[in-house]
């Protein structure tokens, strides 16, 4: 098999086929089987040749009997909750302690020979020794997924704990039927069966997780699960531009970063093939020419010039993530040297194929790198430069294979070929050899910044790798956007901002309109994108906040005096005007008193509300004691 990186792996299986063993026997996979009450057990046997009938016994009691009429297995009777498998093995479901003992199987061959075998089954109350069973030792997930580290103790437990590396995560004790959690130090959830649920995992969650459990008998068992967290789902194209000649079979090779549920290939607005699960369907116009391989790559047979153009593949995972990748196919005709991929990317230590295809048979040719000849050939006998022996090989189609490449192999390679008629062509390919890529992450030094008006603010970015391009934005408005070392400022209205060499953002003399949520997006040289956010709060100076505090205090005092004055009037049940005694309502409704009272109360309340609103939005949390007092 070939991996997407060009690595090759081979395995061998040896099959021995015999005429027929002599004499006729029943082969037993395991003579003594130990199990726990409640388990399902298979008593596995295999006759050395075809059988005509047979039966199983437990001690002296018959369990099941059968006859064979090829290709059918006819069960004559069954006396227990068992199942006879197609190969005459016996499946016992949910065994009990009483099922311990000797099981006998007897089979008859068509020639009249009889063979018997015995299997002893031991059923225990509790497995020995006490262990923690792991459903999956290595779990692969993508950032943002929820992951269950599934375990099962072989018997009841009294307590236990989970650790990530050397740090404790959760501990618990058991008081049947309750599971009491002593403490939890991370955003995790301990399930009822002591498995661990991790929510929204990140790249930093990759590593070894250890679980330790104690049985009531004092035995201790430990198990380890390794979690690998990868970047979110994406589609990698081995070569974005594929060159071929008329009549060739072309492979548009892609590799999804995780298992996909469905997808489709499109060319010129028409669907070439689509699939749901493992059953691709090909458009009627492409039947016999197009094949979707198991890794979702598209193979096209007998391509022509009309097949030249852009091909797109869209895939979706079981979780609903959808991605699209685009590849361009060039199908050419005259004699030329086609480079299957003009720019080849690889990592140190890989075997690289600089693949070329001459449009017709060639007589001789030369591969050169950095002005030096790597290999040349005349006819079918290539000669390799002594400096490249053991590392370089010219294949039968004139492609160059380089083994164990290093960074020093990066550069432009040229191949020149001549036909028998004397036509000569040269093709150039560029090889990039990278050091094994490291994870690319970014984070903000501060997620929230509080600043006074007129101050300078530095939004510092911490980057784990090399940055290729990126952008700064506030809301939907782009502040900076750049590619490589070229910075293009797209906002010329204010010159209060500066982009630093490490991608940090400096805001000079911030104002209230600079408040908001800032977002930085960076892309590494390998194409991995990461984002981070920071919130900027701008408040007034300490002197202005002191004035706001004084105004708010006076407003509160005036409102309290007004309320106190009206309280006194309400306590007086009668007022005397002239020589008449009237109630409070009559007095207030005469003349200007009611208007004056209403306007006074309304004015004080408006002042109070206005002062509170300005005070809360303009002053920093530590500089507004009046609001804090009212809140309490």
């Amino acid at each position: 098999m070939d991996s997407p990186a060009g690595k090759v792996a081979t395995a061998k299986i040896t099959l021995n086929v015999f005429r027929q063993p002599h004499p006729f026997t029943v082969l037993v996979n395991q003579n003594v089987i130990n199990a726990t009450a409640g388990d399902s057990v298979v008593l596995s046997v295999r006759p050395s040749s075809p059988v005509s009938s047979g039966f199983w016994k437990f001690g002296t009691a018959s369990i099941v009997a059968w006859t064979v009429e090829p290709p059918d297995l006819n069960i004559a009777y069954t006396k227990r909750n068992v199942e006879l498998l197609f190969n005459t093995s016996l499946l016992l479901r949910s065994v009990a302690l009483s099922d311990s003992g000797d099981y006998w199987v007897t089979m008859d061959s068509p020639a009249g020979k009889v063979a018997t075998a015995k299997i002893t089954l031991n059923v225990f109350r509790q497995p020995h020794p006490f262990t923690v069973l792991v459903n999956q030792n290595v779990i692969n997930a993508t950032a943002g997924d929820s992951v269950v580290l599934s375990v099962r103790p072989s018997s009841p437990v009294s307590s236990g704990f989970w650790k990530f590396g050397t740090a404790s995560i959760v501990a618990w004790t058991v008081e049947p039927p309750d599971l009491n959690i002593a403490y939890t130090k991370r955003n995790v959830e301990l399930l009822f069966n002591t498995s661990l649920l991790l929510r929204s995992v990140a790249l930093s969650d990759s590593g070894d997780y250890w679980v330790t459990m104690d049985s009531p008998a004092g035995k201790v068992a430990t198990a380890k699960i390794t979690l690998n967290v990868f970047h979110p789902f994406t589609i990698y194209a081995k070569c974005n531009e594929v060159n071929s000649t008329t009549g060739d079979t072309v492979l548009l090779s892609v590799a999804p970063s995780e298992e996909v549920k469905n997808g489709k290939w499109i060319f010129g607005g028409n669907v070439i093939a689509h699939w749901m699960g493992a059953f691709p369907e090909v458009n009627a116009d492409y039947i016999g020419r197009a094949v979707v391989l198991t890794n979702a790559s598209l193979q096209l047979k007998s391509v022509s010039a009309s097949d030249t153009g852009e091909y797109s593949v869209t895939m979706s995972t079981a979780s609903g993530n959808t991605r699209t990748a685009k590849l361009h196919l060039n199908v050419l005709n005259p004699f030329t040297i086609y480079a299957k991929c003009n720019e080849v990317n690889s990592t140190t230590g890989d075997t690289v194929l600089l693949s070329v295809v001459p449009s017709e048979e060639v007589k001789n040719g030369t591969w050169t790198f950095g002005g030096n000849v790597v290999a040349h050939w005349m006819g079918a006998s290539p000669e390799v430069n002594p400096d490249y022996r053991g590392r370089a090989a010219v294949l039968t189609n004139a492609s160059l294979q380089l083994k164990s490449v290093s960074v020093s192999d990066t550069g432009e390679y040229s191949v020149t070929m001549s036909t028998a008629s004397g036509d000569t062509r040269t093709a150039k390919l560029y090889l990039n050899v990278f050091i094994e890529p490291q994870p690319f992450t970014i984070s903000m030094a501060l997620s929230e910044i509080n600043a006074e008006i007129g101050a300078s603010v530095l939004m510092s970015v911490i980057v784990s790798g090399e940055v290729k391009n990126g952008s700064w934005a506030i809301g939907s408005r782009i502040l900076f956007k750049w590619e490589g070392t070229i910075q293009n400022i797209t906002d010329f209205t204010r010159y209060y901002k500066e982009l630093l060499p490490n991608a940090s953002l400096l805001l000079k003399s911030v104002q209230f309109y600079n408040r908001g949520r800032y977002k930085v997006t960076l892309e590494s040289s390998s194409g991995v994108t990461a984002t981070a956010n920071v919130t900027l709060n701008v408040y007034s100076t300490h002197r202005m906040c002191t004035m706001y505090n004084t105004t708010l205090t006076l407003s509160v005092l005036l409102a309290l005096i007004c309320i106190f004055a009206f309280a006194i009037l309400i306590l007086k049940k009668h007022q005397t005007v002239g020589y008449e005694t009237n109630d409070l309502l009559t007095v207030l409704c005469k003349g200007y008193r009611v208007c004056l009272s209403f306007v006074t109360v309304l004015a004080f309340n408006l002042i109070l509300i206005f002062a509170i609103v300005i005070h809360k939005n303009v002053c920093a949390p530590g500089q507004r004691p009046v609001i804090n007092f009212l809140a309490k």
Side-chain angles (χ1 to χ4, degrees), residues 71-252:
D72 299 323
L73 186 69
N74 302 316
I75 299 175
Y77 62 87
T78 302
K79 290 192 173 180
R80 280 184 46 189
N81 183 24
V82 299
E83 181 180 341
L84 186 67
L85 305 181
F86 69 95
N87 62 351
T88 69
S89 297
L90 190 65
L91 170 61
L92 304 178
R93 300 183 186 280
S94 188
V95 295
L97 297 179
S98 59
D99 293 324
S100 298
D102 294 335
Y103 289 78
W104 296 86
V105 59
T106 301
M107 300 186 196
D108 300 325
S109 73
K113 295 183 180 180
V114 179
T116 301
K118 181 183 77 169
I119 297 177
T120 301
L121 174 63
N122 299 316
V123 182
F124 301 99
R125 289 186 181 276
Q126 180 178 326
H128 300 283
F130 171 62
T131 59
V132 177
L133 307 176
V134 176
N135 186 38
Q136 193 173 350
N137 294 95
V138 178
I139 298 176
N140 297 323
T142 54
D145 287 349
S146 293
V147 176
V148 175
L149 307 182
S150 181
V151 296
R152 180 171 63 89
S154 59
S155 63
V157 300
S158 58
S159 62
F161 58 88
W162 277 92
K163 292 179 104 178
F164 175 50
T166 58
S168 293
I169 300 174
V170 60
W172 73 91
T173 58
V174 178
E175 297 177 5
D178 298 323
L179 186 67
N180 302 316
I181 299 176
Y183 64 87
T184 301
K185 290 193 173 180
R186 278 183 49 190
N187 184 24
V188 300
E189 181 180 343
L190 186 68
L191 305 182
F192 69 94
N193 63 349
T194 68
S195 297
L196 190 65
L197 171 61
L198 304 178
R199 301 183 186 279
S200 189
V201 294
L203 297 177
S204 58
D205 293 322
S206 297
D208 294 334
Y209 290 77
W210 297 85
V211 59
T212 301
M213 300 188 194
D214 300 325
S215 72
K219 295 183 179 180
V220 179
T222 301
K224 180 183 78 168
I225 297 177
T226 300
L227 174 63
N228 299 316
V229 183
F230 300 99
H231 288 285
F233 169 63
T234 189
I235 302 174
Y236 301 101
K238 269 197 170 182
C239 184
N240 291 319
E241 186 166 359
V242 179
N243 298 319
S244 181
T245 55
T246 302
D248 280 354
T249 295
V250 174
L251 179 63
L252 302 180

Side-chain angles (χ1 to χ4, degrees), residues 576-613:
T576 303
V577 180
Y579 292 95
E580 297 180 2
T581 301
N582 301 289
D583 58 15
L584 178 62
L585 181 61
T586 304
V587 173
L588 290 178
C589 289
K590 289 185 176 183
Y592 63 90
R593 291 186 182 90
V594 65
C595 296
L596 181 61
S597 302
F598 178 76
V599 171
T600 303
V601 173
L602 182 61
F604 286 153
N605 279 280
L606 288 175
I607 294 173
L608 179 60
I609 293 171
F610 181 72
I612 290 175
V613 170

Side-chain angles (χ1 to χ4, degrees), residues 423-498:
D423 289 339
T424 301
R425 294 288 186 275
T426 299
K428 295 183 178 181
L429 300 86
Y430 198 90
L431 173 62
N432 295 313
V433 182
F434 301 101
I435 298 174
E436 191 70 25
Q438 299 297 320
F440 178 71
T441 58
I442 65 172
S443 60
M444 303 300 301
L446 295 173
S447 61
E448 185 174 2
I449 300 175
N450 296 327
E452 289 187 354
I453 191 170
S456 294
V457 175
L458 176 63
M459 298 181 180
S460 181
V461 181
I462 302 172
V463 186
S464 67
E466 181 182 357
V467 177
K468 180 182 178 183
N469 52 56
S471 65
W472 271 97
I474 176 172
S476 59
R477 183 162 61 93
I478 300 295
L479 301 179
F480 286 93
K481 188 175 183 180
W482 71 94
E483 293 184 1
T485 58
I486 302 174
Q487 301 171 2
N488 300 315
I489 302 176
T490 59
D491 181 14
F492 295 90
T493 57
R494 301 182 183 88
Y495 296 93
Y496 61 87
K497 52 191 178 296
E498 180 181 348

Side-chain angles (χ1 to χ4, degrees), residues 182-416:
Y183 64 87
T184 301
K185 290 193 173 180
R186 278 183 49 190
N187 184 24
V188 300
E189 181 180 343
L190 186 68
L191 305 182
F192 69 94
N193 63 349
T194 68
S195 297
L196 190 65
L197 171 61
L198 304 178
R199 301 183 186 279
S200 189
V201 294
L203 297 177
S204 58
D205 293 322
S206 297
D208 294 334
Y209 290 77
W210 297 85
V211 59
T212 301
M213 300 188 194
D214 300 325
S215 72
K219 295 183 179 180
V220 179
T222 301
K224 180 183 78 168
I225 297 177
T226 300
L227 174 63
N228 299 316
V229 183
F230 300 99
H231 288 285
F233 169 63
T234 189
I235 302 174
Y236 301 101
K238 269 197 170 182
C239 184
N240 291 319
E241 186 166 359
V242 179
N243 298 319
S244 181
T245 55
T246 302
D248 280 354
T249 295
V250 174
L251 179 63
L252 302 180
S253 183
V254 294
S257 61
E258 61 182 276
E259 186 177 358
V260 297
K261 183 180 180 183
N262 54 63
K264 60 183 176 181
W265 277 94
I266 297 176
F267 171 64
N270 298 317
V271 175
I272 300 174
H274 66 93
W275 67 94
M276 181 74 70
F279 302 98
E281 292 184 12
V282 179
N283 186 319
D285 296 335
Y286 284 88
I287 291 177
R289 288 190 58 227
V291 178
V292 178
L293 306 184
T294 54
N295 65 347
S297 297
L298 180 66
Q299 184 185 70
L300 294 174
K301 300 177 181 179
S302 300
V303 294
S304 63
S306 62
D307 293 317
T308 298
E310 186 177 78
Y311 291 74
S312 66
V313 57
T314 301
M315 303 184 203
S316 299
T317 65
S319 60
N321 290 331
T322 301
R323 292 292 184 274
T324 298
K326 295 182 178 181
L327 300 86
H328 196 90
L329 173 62
N330 297 314
V331 182
L332 307 174
N333 287 319
F335 168 69
T336 187
I337 303 173
Y338 306 113
K340 285 201 171 180
C341 188
N342 292 317
E343 186 170 354
V344 179
N345 297 321
S346 180
T347 54
T348 54
D350 284 350
T351 296
V352 174
L353 179 63
L354 301 179
S355 183
V356 293
V357 179
S359 61
E360 58 184 272
E361 187 177 356
V362 297
K363 184 178 179 182
N364 53 64
T366 305
W367 276 96
T368 59
F369 171 64
N372 300 318
V373 175
V374 178
H376 66 91
W377 68 96
M378 180 74 70
S381 303
E383 293 186 12
V384 179
N385 186 318
D387 295 337
Y388 283 88
R389 281 179 186 167
R391 288 188 57 226
V394 178
L395 306 185
T396 54
N397 64 348
S399 297
L400 179 66
Q401 184 185 67
L402 295 174
K403 299 179 181 179
S404 301
V405 295
S406 62
V407 177
S408 62
D409 292 318
T410 297
E412 187 177 75
Y413 291 74
S414 64
V415 58
T416 301

